[in-house]
Amino acid sequence: MEWLVIIVTVVVLWVASLFKILHESLSASQVEVLNDGGVFCKRNVLLVIAHPDDESMFFTPTINYLSSRGCNLHILCMSTGNADGIGNARKEELYLASIMLKVPQKQVKVLDHPDLQDGFGKSWNSKLLSKIIKEEIVNCAIDLVITFDNYGVSGHCNHQDVHQGVRKLLQDTSHKEVDAWELVSTSILRKYSGPVDIWWSLLSAKFHLSGVAHCFLNEHPRRSLAAMAQHRSQWVWFRKLFVSFSSYTYVNCVRKIN
C-alpha cells in the first residue's frame, strides 16, 4: 500500500510539473515568474559547449528561452566528439539539431583542433580555450557567454575544461563588458527527477540558493527531444531515457561567473 501511495504521488507531481511548464509556455507570465530583469533580452549570446549533443542534452531550456526573448544565439562547440571516430557525422548532427532549436546553421561553429579532442582523461588547455572564445566574441560582437559550471553537469573533464576556459577569459580585463553565466549542476536526485525539479529550481532562483540567479523553464520540451533525435549516432536507448527523465530537459538554473 505504501508503494502505491508513493507511485501515485510521483505521478501526480510529474503531471502537475508538466502542466506548470505547459501553462508558462502558453502565457506571457514566464517573464514575471523568472524575473530576469531584462538581463537576457535581445543579447548577442555565445553558448560554449564541449561536444555535439551537449546543447540538446543540457541547454535546451536556455536556448528556447533566449530565442523567445529576441537574443541572437551562437553556438561554439570545442570538438567534433570524435572519441569513437565518428566526428564528421556528429558535426553534421549538431547542424541538424541547431535547425530544430531555431539557431541558424551559419551561427554554429564546430572545431576540430588537434589539442581539443574528445575523451575522458584528455585535458584541454585553458589558455587555448580562452583564446578561441575571445576570437569568437570579437568576430560575432558577443556580449553574453553561457557555458557549464566547474562540475559540468555530468562531471566530464571536457565540460569542466570549457568552464575553465571561460573563467580564464574573464581574467582578461579587456573583456569585463562581457557577462558570463554557468549552467548549475545539480544532485543525482534532482538531475533525474524530470519536470518535478522545476519547483526546487524556481525556489533556488527566488531565494538565490547556491548562488542561483535565474532559472529557465523549457517552453518547448518536445523540441528538446526532436533536437536530440537529430544526433542519430548518440540516440541510443539510455540517452532516450536520459532526455525523458533528466531535469535539464525541463529547466535550467544559471548563475553569474564572477
Side-chain angles (χ1 to χ4, degrees):
M1 185 66 182
E2 291 82 2
W3 281 108
L4 180 61
V5 173
I6 292 173
I7 292 172
V8 170
T9 301
V10 170
V11 171
V12 170
L13 278 173
W14 193 283
V15 172
S17 302
L18 287 175
F19 180 80
K20 171 69 172 175
I21 293 172
L22 179 62
H23 171 72
E24 299 303 336
S25 69
L26 296 176
S27 70
S29 62
Q30 185 168 174
V31 177
E32 298 175 4
V33 170
L34 301 179
N35 190 25
D36 68 20
V39 174
F40 301 100
C41 185
K42 297 182 179 179
R43 305 288 295 273
N44 281 337
V45 181
L46 179 65
L47 174 63
V48 184
I49 58 177
H51 318 108
D53 78 11
D54 287 346
E55 82 299 328
S56 299
M57 291 184 71
F58 308 118
F59 289 96
T60 51
T62 298
I63 292 172
N64 290 334
Y65 181 86
L66 294 177
S67 296
S68 69
R69 300 308 181 270
C71 290
N72 184 32
L73 188 63
H74 298 254
I75 298 176
L76 174 60
C77 185
M78 290 297 183
S79 78
T80 60
N82 196 40
D84 296 322
I86 54 173
N88 288 334
R90 295 195 65 187
K91 178 179 179 178
E92 294 303 317
E93 288 168 355
L94 175 52
Y95 291 142
L96 293 174
S98 71
I99 294 173
M100 302 302 299
L101 295 171
K102 311 300 182 184
V103 179
Q105 182 175 324
K106 65 180 180 180
Q107 294 177 193
V108 179
K109 186 173 183 178
V110 185
L111 303 181
D112 189 14
H113 194 285
D115 295 327
L116 300 175
Q117 293 299 305
D118 176 24
F120 284 101
K122 292 186 177 180
S123 180
W124 294 352
N125 184 276
S126 60
K127 290 183 179 179
L128 174 60
L129 292 168
S130 175
K131 178 183 177 183
I132 293 171
I133 297 168
K134 178 179 178 180
E135 290 174 353
E136 199 69 10
I137 287 174
V138 172
N139 292 338
C140 301
I142 299 298
D143 56 21
L144 191 150
V145 175
I146 296 178
T147 192
F148 293 102
D149 66 3
N150 60 356
Y151 182 71
V153 180
S154 64
H156 196 296
C157 58
N158 297 157
H159 296 180
Q160 297 170 357
D161 291 337
V162 166
H163 170 83
Q164 294 303 324
V166 172
R167 213 171 252 290
K168 181 69 175 175
L169 172 71
L170 294 179
Q171 295 174 3
D172 183 351
T173 56
S174 66
H175 287 281
K176 291 296 184 182
E177 71 278 5
V178 177
D179 290 334
W181 294 77
E182 61 187 10
L183 177 63
V184 177
S185 298
T186 64
S187 66
I188 290 291
L189 181 61
R190 288 184 59 192
K191 184 177 179 179
Y192 293 108
S193 62
V196 176
D197 186 59
I198 68 170
W199 307 106
W200 182 256
S201 296
L202 288 170
L203 283 173
S204 297
K206 184 176 180 62
F207 297 105
H208 301 288
L209 303 178
S210 301
V212 171
H214 303 288
C215 75
F216 306 137
L217 302 186
N218 194 346
E219 298 174 333
H220 305 284
R222 284 183 295 182
R223 189 181 294 173
S224 301
L225 292 169
M228 188 60 204
Q230 303 308 306
H231 295 277
R232 298 186 66 179
S233 66
Q234 308 300 301
W235 198 225
V236 292
W237 68 269
F238 58 87
R239 287 198 178 89
K240 292 178 182 179
L241 286 176
F242 177 88
V243 174
S244 299
F245 288 92
S246 169
S247 61
Y248 290 93
T249 298
Y250 306 97
V251 62
N252 282 168
C253 288
V254 297
R255 64 185 164 218
K256 195 167 186 178
I257 303 176
N258 297 313

